[in-house]
Amino acid sequence: MSEFITIKNDHDIQQLFDKVHYFHDSIIRQCMTQSIGYVDSLFGMYGDVEPFNAKIFIQSQFSESPCIEIYLYRVSKLLLKDVFISEASGKTKDQRIFISFSCSSEQDIQFNNFDIIAEDMKYRILDQSFLGERLIF
């Protein structure tokens, strides 16, 4: 299984998009969120206003990148409008990662129409044995 690659800058995002054909003809197979906050045994709530973490599993029709596992940390926005991805875009700014699965035009990017905003992100490309109906999370 491949190692996780951390996104640190725009160059890293561009490398990801190049490897996965901008997620063209891909489908978000799974998405899972995990709150940083919790309720203790005395029913006290902690960390409830903190950002959350998320995992996204994507399947693609491209043999070089059939499955992509993405981990997002300290997510402040996660909006999935559709599970089908036609083309993605993204950037880094102010130590945050911005990704859109639903818009790719320069105008959309300028107006901050992003589906995902997170402080950290890592991904790995998995082989075709992860294709199909089974779930991985």
Side-chain angles (χ1 to χ4, degrees):
M1 205 173 311
S2 64
E3 296 293 319
F4 279 100
I5 298 170
T6 301
I7 299 292
K8 299 177 192 131
N9 52 47
D10 288 341
H11 176 74
D12 294 340
I13 288 178
Q14 188 59 49
Q15 282 189 313
L16 166 63
F17 289 156
D18 289 343
K19 287 179 188 176
V20 301
H21 304 273
Y22 290 81
F23 294 104
H24 180 74
D25 285 343
S26 296
I27 189 168
I28 298 171
R29 177 73 178 116
Q30 287 180 264
C31 181
M32 182 185 85
T33 62
Q34 179 186 33
S35 174
I36 294 172
Y38 62 94
V39 176
D40 68 12
S41 61
L42 299 175
F43 303 102
M45 190 174 294
Y46 300 92
D48 53 315
V49 296
E50 295 294 320
F52 58 92
N53 297 328
K55 296 179 190 179
I56 301 174
F57 180 65
I58 296 172
Q59 294 178 336
S60 167
Q61 292 184 307
F62 290 97
S63 61
E64 313 85 52
S65 56
C67 299
I68 305 98
E69 184 178 11
I70 299 172
Y71 284 63
L72 302 160
Y73 301 97
R74 300 193 59 79
V75 177
S76 55
K77 181 178 181 181
L78 176 61
L79 175 62
L80 300 180
K81 300 173 188 171
D82 196 356
V83 294
F84 176 74
I85 306 169
S86 60
E87 188 170 7
S89 61
K91 67 179 184 177
T92 60
K93 185 179 179 184
D94 300 327
Q95 299 180 342
R96 292 188 298 171
I97 296 150
F98 299 81
I99 294 183
S100 175
F101 287 139
S102 58
C103 67
S104 60
S105 75
E106 193 64 36
Q107 183 177 4
D108 286 335
I109 293 170
Q110 289 175 357
F111 289 107
N112 296 323
N113 291 331
F114 292 99
D115 303 320
I116 298 170
I117 302 173
E119 290 183 19
D120 291 298
M121 174 180 164
K122 67 181 181 180
Y123 73 93
R124 66 180 171 177
I125 296 174
L126 302 172
D127 64 38
Q128 68 187 34
S129 68
F130 290 88
L131 291 173
E133 294 182 61
R134 73 182 175 101
L135 303 177
I136 67 161
F137 299 141

